[in-house]
Amino acid sequence: MAKSLLCSSTLNSFFSSSALSSSTSSKNNQIACSANIKNQTSSLSWNRRELSLGFMSTFLAVGLVGNNDRRSRDANAAILEADDDEELLEKVKQDRKKRIERQAVLNSAVKEKGYLQDLVYNLSKVGQAIENNDLPAAGLVLGNGSDTEWVKTANLAFTKLSASPEENTEVETFNSSLASLVTSVNKNDLESSKLAFVSSASAFEKWSSLTGLLGQLKGI
């Protein structure tokens, strides 16, 4: 009986010790797991913080580079604009110089302007004759065209005062239309004469406008 009680007491003590050990071990495991979770959470939090800082640094760097690029582009644009302004200013100066030189030539071309005034007078007479259906009278003023005195002297003025390709083109148009006018008048072709007269007069008016003589000649 004593042995039985001793064994029972021993077993109870063993089981109590085992239970206590198991409970202690379980608590230790829980504490370890909790600490591990805290460490992992803390580590994850630091990783997130570092990642966020990394993104912020990247964005700041990109922003700085973008700002520098914009400043560089603005600086280049300012330089180009300054160059354009200088080129424009130089062009304005050159154009002004050419106008002054051209005006000096026109002011000194007294004889040539007299030739052109004769041209205006004779063309007016031809136009009046054609308007009155009097082609023989128009033929008398025109003569042979290029060999007629007022036509030859007008071409001398054209040669001296024409300074651009556009002006020379109008001179060519005038002479071509005048030749057609002479031919039409000699053929007694009234309608063709009217068309040729309008073409020659228009070419001369355009030439006078291009050269700056439009307001200096009477009758245009």
Side-chain angles (χ1 to χ4, degrees):
M1 183 65 178
K3 289 181 180 179
S4 177
L5 291 171
L6 180 60
C7 289
S8 177
S9 177
T10 302
L11 288 173
N12 288 334
S13 177
F14 173 78
F15 284 125
S16 295
S17 177
S18 297
L20 180 60
S21 176
S22 175
S23 176
T24 301
S25 177
S26 176
K27 288 181 179 179
N28 289 335
N29 288 337
Q30 290 178 358
I31 291 170
C33 286
S34 177
N36 188 29
I37 290 171
K38 288 181 179 179
N39 289 335
Q40 289 180 356
T41 301
S42 177
S43 177
L44 181 60
S45 177
W46 276 107
N47 287 339
R48 288 177 178 173
R49 190 173 300 170
E50 290 175 358
L51 183 61
S52 177
L53 289 173
F55 279 131
M56 289 178 64
S57 298
T58 301
F59 288 144
L60 286 174
V62 171
L64 290 173
V65 171
N67 288 334
N68 289 335
D69 287 344
R70 282 193 294 272
R71 291 192 188 99
S72 179
R73 287 195 298 268
D74 291 343
N76 290 335
I79 292 172
L80 291 175
E81 185 176 354
D83 291 341
D84 291 341
D85 290 342
E86 289 181 2
E87 291 179 2
L88 180 61
L89 181 59
E90 185 63 27
K91 186 176 184 301
V92 170
K93 289 180 179 179
Q94 292 297 327
D95 290 343
R96 183 172 180 276
K97 181 180 178 182
K98 289 179 180 179
R99 287 196 302 271
I100 293 174
E101 292 175 349
R102 183 62 180 275
Q103 191 59 49
V105 171
L106 294 178
N107 290 339
S108 64
V110 177
K111 182 172 63 176
E112 285 75 18
K113 285 190 286 188
Y115 294 156
L116 294 173
Q117 195 62 62
D118 287 343
L119 170 63
V120 172
Y121 172 75
N122 284 290
L123 276 182
S124 297
K125 290 179 65 175
V126 171
Q128 289 174 0
I130 292 174
E131 186 177 2
N132 294 328
N133 297 332
D134 191 356
L135 294 185
L140 290 175
V141 178
L142 289 170
N144 293 325
S146 59
D147 291 333
T148 304
E149 185 63 23
W150 62 268
V151 176
K152 289 193 294 184
T153 54
N155 274 289
L156 291 176
F158 288 150
T159 301
K160 180 174 181 178
L161 300 178
S162 297
S164 70
E166 292 81 5
E167 293 165 8
N168 288 322
T169 297
E170 295 304 329
V171 171
E172 292 174 0
T173 301
F174 170 79
N175 283 314
S176 175
S177 299
L178 190 66
S180 296
L181 176 59
V182 172
T183 300
S184 297
V185 168
N186 289 336
K187 289 181 178 180
N188 204 31
D189 186 342
L190 182 61
E191 292 303 319
S192 295
S193 297
K194 289 180 179 180
L195 293 175
F197 173 79
V198 170
S199 179
S200 59
S202 296
F204 178 65
E205 183 177 5
K206 289 179 181 177
W207 178 87
S208 300
S209 177
L210 289 171
T211 56
L213 286 168
L214 188 60
Q216 299 184 34
L217 298 175
K218 297 178 182 179
I220 300 181

